[in-house]
Amino acid sequence: MLISDHDKKRISATIAAAELKTAGEIFCVIARQSGDYRLVPIVWAAFAALLLPLPLILFTVMTAHWIYIAQLALFAVLAPVLSIQAVRFRIVPRRRMHEQAHAEAVRQFCAQGLHKTENRTGVLIFASEAEHYAEVIADAGINAKVPQAVWDDAVAVLIAEIAQGRAADGFVAAVDRCGAVLAQHFPPGALNRNELPDRLIEI
């Protein structure tokens, strides 16, 4: 569990308080990881095995038969070693991890129904632990009025707190910042219906 039940309740209460002052809807998601990247170790192991023959040909008298065996052996050793999770996440390019985490954030935005709010005022606060990635995704009704720099500020606070092992505090701070902006641009209507659950989920 990334966030305790107590802290989830604290985050839910913060969302509920923020939504009392706005017609916007805030939803939070934290993922342990956004992808498994299982093909990456295979690619690295295959690449190393393909490069191996050159130095063996240039600097040894090994026959083609033994060079081929050396290639197979190198691949057989590297593939499982690089597949260990702690190693695997160190060899995946950062850009690839961020692309995967962004794709997961978009999937969660749709899966949680944030694109279905009446006035298109849904906001997703998303973080993925393994990728060290966070993002705020706002629906069309909000993006037309709120500059990206506002969301970047909330993301910076969230990432800083997660880096210190205080993910719950990060979400609380991010919700407060997003709620303040939503209250400014999207004040509550006469009914101010709560269209989405006030909670954080783990995936």
Side-chain angles (χ1 to χ4, degrees):
M1 182 180 293
L2 297 173
I3 295 181
S4 69
D5 289 338
H6 171 74
D7 281 333
K8 286 179 181 176
K9 290 178 181 178
R10 186 159 62 97
I11 294 166
S12 294
T14 305
I15 295 172
E19 290 183 354
L20 288 175
K21 303 172 185 176
T22 177
E25 293 287 334
I26 301 172
F27 197 90
C28 297
V29 175
I30 186 169
R32 190 170 298 279
Q33 61 188 58
S34 294
D36 55 27
Y37 313 100
R38 294 193 181 278
L39 287 179
V40 174
I42 304 302
V43 171
W44 278 107
F47 182 66
L50 286 172
L51 290 180
L52 180 63
L54 182 59
L56 295 181
I57 291 170
L58 292 176
F59 303 112
T60 74
V61 292
M62 291 176 67
T63 63
H65 170 77
W66 285 108
I67 289 175
Y68 177 63
I69 291 176
Q71 279 186 289
L72 292 179
L74 180 63
F75 179 83
V77 170
L78 277 183
V81 170
L82 296 178
S83 294
I84 298 170
Q85 183 168 326
V87 178
R88 187 168 74 241
F89 279 91
R90 292 182 178 274
I91 63 173
V92 179
R94 182 173 296 275
R95 180 177 178 181
R96 174 74 183 94
M97 289 199 292
H98 285 185
E99 288 173 350
Q100 183 68 29
H102 170 69
E104 182 60 36
V106 172
R107 279 193 290 270
Q108 289 300 317
F109 186 89
C110 296
Q112 305 303 333
L114 278 99
H115 61 304
K116 295 180 179 179
T117 59
E118 184 176 355
N119 295 310
R120 304 297 298 272
T121 54
V123 173
L124 173 69
I125 303 174
F126 174 87
S128 191
E129 184 186 42
E131 287 81 4
H132 304 290
Y133 180 88
E135 181 176 5
V136 173
I137 300 180
D139 207 348
I142 294 174
N143 270 337
K145 294 184 178 181
V146 181
Q148 182 61 40
V150 172
W151 309 131
D152 291 344
D153 176 59
V155 167
V157 172
L158 177 56
I159 290 175
E161 292 292 345
I162 291 176
Q164 297 297 320
R166 300 189 295 264
D169 291 340
F171 273 100
V172 167
V175 169
D176 281 338
R177 281 165 169 74
C178 291
V181 173
L182 291 173
Q184 179 183 353
H185 293 283
F186 301 91
L191 297 178
N192 196 25
R193 295 186 299 114
N194 192 13
E195 299 179 72
L196 296 172
D198 302 330
R199 65 190 183 111
L200 173 143
I201 64 166
E202 289 187 20
I203 58 172

